[in-house]
Amino acid sequence: MEGPMDTAPVNPPPRLLMGPGPITADPRVLRAMSAQLVGQYDPAMTGYMVEVMGLYREVFATANEQTFLVDGTSRAGIEAALVSLLEPGDRVLVPVFGRFGHLLAEIGERCGAEVHTIETDWGTVFAPEQVEAAIVEVRPKVLAVVQGDTSTTMCQPLADLGEICRRHDVLLYCDATASLGGNPFETDAWGIDVATASLQKCLGGPSGSSPITISPRAVDVIDGRRHVEAGIAEERDVARGVRIASNYLDLAMIMDYWGPRRLNHHTEATTMLYGARECARLLVEEGMDAAVERHRLHGAAMLAGVRGLGLEVFGDVDHKMSNVVAVHIPDGVDGDAARAVMLEDFGIEIGTSFGPLHGKVWRIGTMGYNARKDAVLVTLAALEQVLRSGGVAVTAGGGVGAAQEVYA
Amino acid sequence: MEGPMDTAPVNPPPRLLMGPGPITADPRVLRAMSAQLVGQYDPAMTGYMVEVMGLYREVFATANEQTFLVDGTSRAGIEAALVSLLEPGDRVLVPVFGRFGHLLAEIGERCGAEVHTIETDWGTVFAPEQVEAAIVEVRPKVLAVVQGDTSTTMCQPLADLGEICRRHDVLLYCDATASLGGNPFETDAWGIDVATASLQKCLGGPSGSSPITISPRAVDVIDGRRHVEAGIAEERDVARGVRIASNYLDLAMIMDYWGPRRLNHHTEATTMLYGARECARLLVEEGMDAAVERHRLHGAAMLAGVRGLGLEVFGDVDHKMSNVVAVHIPDGVDGDAARAVMLEDFGIEIGTSFGPLHGKVWRIGTMGYNARKDAVLVTLAALEQVLRSGGVAVTAGGGVGAAQEVYA
C-alpha cells in the first residue's frame, strides 16, 4: 500500500473550469504567486500592501481609505464584515434569493444578531420597494445582501438600495463574491457601506483571499468596538460597543495592520497577496468597464449557445449575472453522468447545483480568465457531443453557431 | 503622480529572511503553488485533500483521522481550535511565557470563556508541576499552551502535559505555529488533543494555511456543537452544546468538508493547499527526525556564531527553540538602524522584538528552507560587518569561525 512517503509532486490534470467557480486561474496570476517572499514589515511588503489598497479601490469603484484583503476565502471576508458590524441583539435584514442569502442569515445568527429574512423564489430577484417595505418593518442596523448568487445565477439590482438604506439610517453590506469584476459594481455611487469579494470568480485567481472595502460611516461603527491595551490606546480607541467576537476577523485590528499604525496582527499571507494584487492589476489595466463588457459579451455568447443547443435556461434571464448561466438538464439525461463525461473525456468542468435545483440544472460559467471566445466555443462543442451521446436531439453546430452569431 | 494604473508586476527584492518568520520559501513550494487549479470537487482535488491529511498525520506524528488545513494564517487555526472547543463560560487555562500566550488568552476571552492565566518571566518556561498546580486550582475544560513562542524564543516542554491533562480530564490544545517541523513534536505520544501550525516557519512555505490535527475525544466535543439542517442530520449531528460562534472557523463543518460526507463549506484555497501539501511532502521525504536534527544543527551553529561575535544570548538557552535565537543588542548600537543596514546593504532580514524586549534584542531565525549552512554563515559574516561599522569591537571571523566549528 502506498503511504505519505510515496506522495508525488503536485501535477493536476489539465482542466478548463467552466462551472460557477473556482475557475481556471489566469497564468499571470499564478506566475505572480511564484515570486519569492519578503518580510512582513519589509518596505517592499508594506509598499505592496499600499498598492493593493489602491488597486482594489479601482476594482470596487470607491474612494474608501479602508480597502484591503482579509486573509481567507470569500467566506472569511463575509464573516469579518458581519461579525465586525453586528453586535449581539442587533437586527439584520437579509433578502434571500438563493443559497448565499441563507449563508448571510446563518452567519448573522452566529454573531448573535436578530436575523430577519425576506425570501423570493429561486430564479427571481427583489424589487427595491420590497426591500424598503421590509426595512420599514424590521428597522435593522444592517441590510446584508448578496449581489450575485451563483446558486440561482441571479444578480440583485443594488443601485437603489444604498439610497434607501441611507434614508432609513441602515448600513448596507453587500457580498459581491461571485459578481465583482464581471458585472457593474459601484460601491460609492450606489452607497454601499461594506462589500467583500473573492478572487476565484471574475477576478481570475485562486480562492484564499477576500478583498473588502469599508465606508467611513462603517469604519466608525467598527472602530467603536476596538478594545486595545491601555498603553497604545488613542482617542479613536475608546470602546463604545461590544468587543468583536473574533480576533482573526476583527476588522478594527486588521485596519490597524493595513493602515499607517501598522500594528501587528496576523502575518499577512504574502503569496495570496501577490495573487490578489495581480488579479486587480490586470483588471485595472484592462479597465473595469472593459472587463464588465467582456463578461457581458462572453456570457451572452454562452447564453445564445446553450439555447442553440435547445437547452432551456433557468430563471429570470434579464436579472442573470453575466458570468454564469443555469440550464435545465434535458429529460432522460443523468446530469452527473454527463458532467463526468465532460470532465473525463473533454477536460471541461461544468457545475452541478444545490438545494431545490439539485439534479435539475447545470451551471455554466464564463468568468475571469475563462471569459474568452475559445473557452465558450469549445465548451459548447463538447456539450453538443455529450448531449447527443446521451440521446438528446441536438442540431449539429447549433450551439457554436449561435454563439458565433453573438461574436459576429 | 502615479496611480493604480501604473502598478508594475510584482518583483520583490532578493531577501534572505533570517528573522523569526516568515522566512524565505522553499522554491519547490512556490513551484507547486504555480500549478493550475482544478475544481472544488474534482477527483484530483479530493485526492489531494486525502493526501494532505495523510502527510500532515506524519508531520504531527499522529493517527488522528481529523488532520487537515484551516484556510487562513496560523491565527485562523488557533481561533478555529479555541472557538470550536470553548463554549461561553467554559474555563480555559493559559500558561503565558510570551506574546503568543497572551494571544491565546485574548482569543479565549473573545470566545466568552473564563480565561485563567499563569505567567512566568520572558525567557523562561514552566515546570510541569506549575501547570498541574494551576489545573488543580482552576479545573479548566481546556489547557491552551504555546509550544514555541517566537517572542522569547522559548520552547515549552510538552511531554508531561498530556498525561497531566488526561489525569484531570482536561483537553490539551497546543499552538505549534513556530515550532512544528524544527523541534520534536509528538501529538499522540504526548497526548495532545488539538494542535495547529503554520507554513511560514519551519515548514518552508508562505503564510496563509494552518495545518490542524484533532484527537477523537476533541472531535467528540466539537461534533456535539454541530447544528445542521434537519434534512441532512444524522445521529452524530444531534447538538449537545452551544453552537460554535463562527461559521468560517467551525471545525465541525470543516471536518464534514474534508471528510467522506464532503459537505460544501468554504471553497478550499487550492493554491495554498498545493503549497501546504508540498511543504509536508518535502518534510516527510526528508523524514521528520532528520528535519528536526537539521534545525538543531543549524540552530546550534547560529547560536555558536552569535556568541563568537561576542553577543549575549537572551533567555534560558536550554529551553530555546532550535530555530530562533534572541541576542541582546550591544550598548551603543541602534538596533533598528543596524537591521536596516543588514536589509538594505546585505539583503538579509533579521528580526526586531515585541513588548518588554522591544529595542533590547534581535531575533535571528534558522528555519525551514533557511536552516542551511550557507544561510547561517552569510548572516554571521554580514552581521560582523554591521557590528564593526557600528563601533562594536568584534573579533574578525569570530562568528563564522565558531559556527564552522559546529559544522566540523
Side-chain angles (χ1 to χ4, degrees):
Chain A
M1 195 192 121
E2 295 202 343
M5 229 88 74
D6 310 302
T7 309
V10 72
N11 185 27
R15 301 293 197 216
L16 179 64
L17 303 181
M18 300 298 283
I23 52 89
T24 317
D26 191 312
R28 293 172 292 183
V29 173
L30 296 177
R31 277 202 294 277
M33 295 180 75
S34 72
Q36 188 48 274
L37 309 184
V38 294
Q40 190 177 4
Y41 287 104
D42 192 305
M45 182 66 182
T46 50
Y48 290 144
M49 293 170 80
V50 170
E51 286 175 344
V52 163
M53 297 175 86
L55 286 164
Y56 278 95
R57 284 186 202 111
E58 294 292 315
V59 172
F60 279 116
T62 184
N64 287 340
E65 172 63 22
Q66 298 300 347
T67 304
F68 50 90
L69 306 175
V70 173
D71 272 358
T73 73
S74 46
R75 188 174 292 225
I78 295 169
E79 186 162 316
L82 294 181
V83 77
S84 298
L85 288 173
L86 293 171
E87 299 191 12
D90 280 343
R91 282 189 300 281
V92 57
L93 174 66
V94 184
V96 175
F97 59 100
R99 177 166 181 270
F100 291 95
H102 286 296
L103 178 65
L104 299 189
E106 203 259 49
I107 293 175
E109 283 168 15
R110 303 234 199 182
C111 297
E114 185 185 312
V115 179
H116 297 258
T117 58
I118 51 175
E119 299 204 29
T120 187
D121 289 341
W122 282 39
T124 69
V125 296
F126 292 93
E129 307 77 55
Q130 290 175 280
V131 178
E132 182 161 21
I135 285 176
V136 168
E137 192 185 321
V138 172
R139 301 235 151 254
K141 175 182 179 180
V142 174
L143 175 70
V145 63
V146 175
Q147 181 181 32
D149 198 314
T150 47
S151 68
T152 70
T153 76
M154 292 298 105
C155 191
Q156 171 64 45
L158 299 174
D160 297 325
L161 298 188
E163 197 274 321
I164 291 171
C165 282
R166 271 174 169 65
R167 196 156 5 101
H168 295 282
D169 198 22
V170 171
L171 290 163
L172 175 54
Y173 162 70
C174 179
D175 168 12
T177 298
S179 52
L180 187 70
N183 302 270
F185 191 87
E186 300 285 340
T187 302
D188 290 357
W190 294 350
I192 292 165
D193 288 295
V194 182
T196 62
S198 71
L199 306 187
Q200 78 271 18
K201 308 280 185 179
C202 302
L203 272 63
S207 170
S209 180
S210 182
I212 188 171
T213 188
I214 312 172
S215 73
R217 69 176 195 156
V219 168
D220 191 54
V221 169
I222 295 164
D223 265 349
R225 301 182 64 191
R226 184 192 282 105
H227 290 231
V228 295
E229 300 158 53
I232 58 162
E234 297 175 4
E235 174 68 28
R236 57 189 285 211
D237 295 326
V238 179
R240 303 184 300 273
V242 174
R243 188 178 203 175
I244 294 166
S246 172
N247 170 297
Y248 187 63
L249 301 173
D250 179 332
L251 290 176
M253 293 177 82
I254 301 174
M255 289 192 288
D256 281 341
Y257 176 40
W258 281 77
R261 298 217 279 187
R262 295 260 172 242
L263 298 185
N264 197 33
H265 184 244
H266 64 288
T267 298
E268 184 59 21
T270 316
T271 300
M272 285 307 310
L273 177 136
Y274 289 171
R277 179 182 178 280
E278 187 68 2
C279 288
R281 203 185 69 79
L282 294 173
L283 270 183
V284 168
E285 188 178 82
E286 178 180 12
M288 292 308 296
D289 290 347
V292 167
E293 169 56 23
R294 173 168 53 86
H295 283 85
R296 192 206 58 73
L297 173 66
H298 298 292
M302 184 63 87
L303 177 67
V306 294
R307 284 175 163 166
L309 288 171
L311 297 171
E312 187 195 344
V313 174
F314 168 80
D316 173 3
V317 173
D318 291 341
H319 289 103
K320 194 180 77 56
M321 280 189 282
S322 286
N323 50 303
V324 60
V325 61
V327 294
H328 289 276
I329 299 167
D331 285 343
V333 172
D334 176 334
D336 284 346
R339 285 177 59 245
V341 175
M342 283 289 285
L343 189 72
E344 286 159 25
D345 288 358
F346 296 88
I348 300 172
E349 180 179 275
I350 64 171
T352 181
S353 48
F354 297 108
L357 295 179
H358 184 66
K360 296 187 182 156
V361 307
W362 292 313
R363 295 176 300 153
I364 304 175
T366 44
M367 60 185 102
Y369 185 62
N370 291 346
R372 299 192 322 262
K373 183 174 174 179
D374 63 291
V376 169
L377 296 185
V378 79
T379 300
L380 291 167
L383 191 55
E384 177 184 322
Q385 301 302 322
V386 173
L387 289 170
R388 180 171 295 120
S389 64
V392 180
V394 195
T395 309
V400 167
Q404 287 282 31
E405 276 179 39
V406 173
Y407 289 126
Chain B
M1 199 190 119
E2 294 203 345
M5 229 88 74
D6 310 303
T7 309
V10 72
N11 184 28
R15 301 293 198 216
L16 180 65
L17 302 181
M18 300 297 284
I23 52 89
T24 316
D26 191 313
R28 292 171 293 183
V29 173
L30 296 178
R31 277 201 294 275
M33 295 180 75
S34 72
Q36 188 48 274
L37 309 184
V38 293
Q40 190 177 3
Y41 288 103
D42 193 304
M45 183 67 183
T46 51
Y48 289 145
M49 292 171 81
V50 170
E51 287 175 346
V52 162
M53 296 175 87
L55 286 164
Y56 277 96
R57 284 186 200 110
E58 294 292 314
V59 172
F60 279 116
T62 184
N64 288 339
E65 172 64 21
Q66 299 299 348
T67 304
F68 51 89
L69 306 175
V70 174
D71 272 357
T73 73
S74 46
R75 186 174 294 224
I78 295 169
E79 186 162 315
L82 293 181
V83 77
S84 297
L85 289 173
L86 294 171
E87 298 191 12
D90 281 343
R91 281 189 300 279
V92 56
L93 174 65
V94 184
V96 174
F97 58 100
R99 177 166 182 271
F100 291 96
H102 286 297
L103 177 65
L104 299 188
E106 202 258 50
I107 293 173
E109 284 169 14
R110 302 232 199 183
C111 297
E114 185 185 311
V115 179
H116 296 258
T117 58
I118 52 174
E119 300 204 27
T120 186
D121 288 341
W122 281 40
T124 69
V125 296
F126 293 92
E129 307 79 54
Q130 290 175 279
V131 177
E132 182 161 23
I135 284 176
V136 168
E137 193 185 320
V138 172
R139 300 236 152 254
K141 174 181 180 182
V142 174
L143 175 70
V145 63
V146 176
Q147 181 182 34
D149 197 314
T150 46
S151 68
T152 69
T153 77
M154 292 298 105
C155 190
Q156 172 64 45
L158 300 174
D160 298 325
L161 297 189
E163 197 275 318
I164 292 171
C165 283
R166 271 173 169 63
R167 197 156 4 102
H168 296 283
D169 198 23
V170 171
L171 290 163
L172 175 54
Y173 162 70
C174 180
D175 169 13
T177 298
S179 52
L180 187 72
N183 304 268
F185 191 88
E186 300 285 340
T187 301
D188 290 358
W190 294 350
I192 293 165
D193 289 294
V194 182
T196 61
S198 72
L199 306 187
Q200 76 272 16
K201 309 281 185 179
C202 302
L203 271 64
S207 170
S209 180
S210 182
I212 187 169
T213 187
I214 311 172
S215 73
R217 69 175 195 153
V219 168
D220 192 54
V221 169
I222 296 165
D223 264 350
R225 301 182 64 190
R226 184 192 280 104
H227 291 230
V228 296
E229 299 158 54
I232 59 164
E234 297 175 5
E235 175 70 26
R236 58 189 286 216
D237 294 327
V238 178
R240 304 184 300 273
V242 174
R243 187 178 205 174
I244 294 168
S246 173
N247 170 296
Y248 188 64
L249 301 173
D250 178 331
L251 289 177
M253 293 178 82
I254 301 174
M255 290 191 288
D256 282 340
Y257 176 41
W258 282 77
R261 299 218 278 186
R262 295 255 173 248
L263 298 185
N264 197 33
H265 184 242
H266 64 287
T267 299
E268 183 59 20
T270 316
T271 300
M272 285 308 309
L273 177 135
Y274 289 171
R277 179 181 178 282
E278 186 69 2
C279 288
R281 203 185 70 79
L282 295 173
L283 269 181
V284 169
E285 187 178 82
E286 178 181 13
M288 292 308 296
D289 291 347
V292 168
E293 169 56 23
R294 172 168 54 86
H295 282 86
R296 192 208 57 74
L297 174 67
H298 298 292
M302 184 62 87
L303 177 66
V306 294
R307 283 174 164 166
L309 288 172
L311 298 171
E312 188 195 344
V313 174
F314 169 79
D316 172 4
V317 173
D318 291 340
H319 289 103
K320 195 181 76 57
M321 281 189 282
S322 286
N323 49 304
V324 60
V325 61
V327 294
H328 289 276
I329 299 166
D331 286 343
V333 172
D334 176 333
D336 284 345
R339 287 176 59 243
V341 174
M342 284 288 285
L343 188 71
E344 285 160 23
D345 288 358
F346 296 88
I348 300 172
E349 181 178 273
I350 63 172
T352 182
S353 48
F354 297 107
L357 296 178
H358 184 66
K360 294 185 183 159
V361 307
W362 291 313
R363 294 176 301 154
I364 304 175
T366 44
M367 61 184 100
Y369 184 63
N370 291 345
R372 300 192 321 261
K373 183 172 172 179
D374 65 289
V376 169
L377 297 185
V378 77
T379 301
L380 291 167
L383 190 55
E384 177 184 324
Q385 300 302 322
V386 172
L387 289 172
R388 180 172 294 118
S389 65
V392 180
V394 195
T395 309
V400 167
Q404 287 282 31
E405 276 179 38
V406 173
Y407 290 124

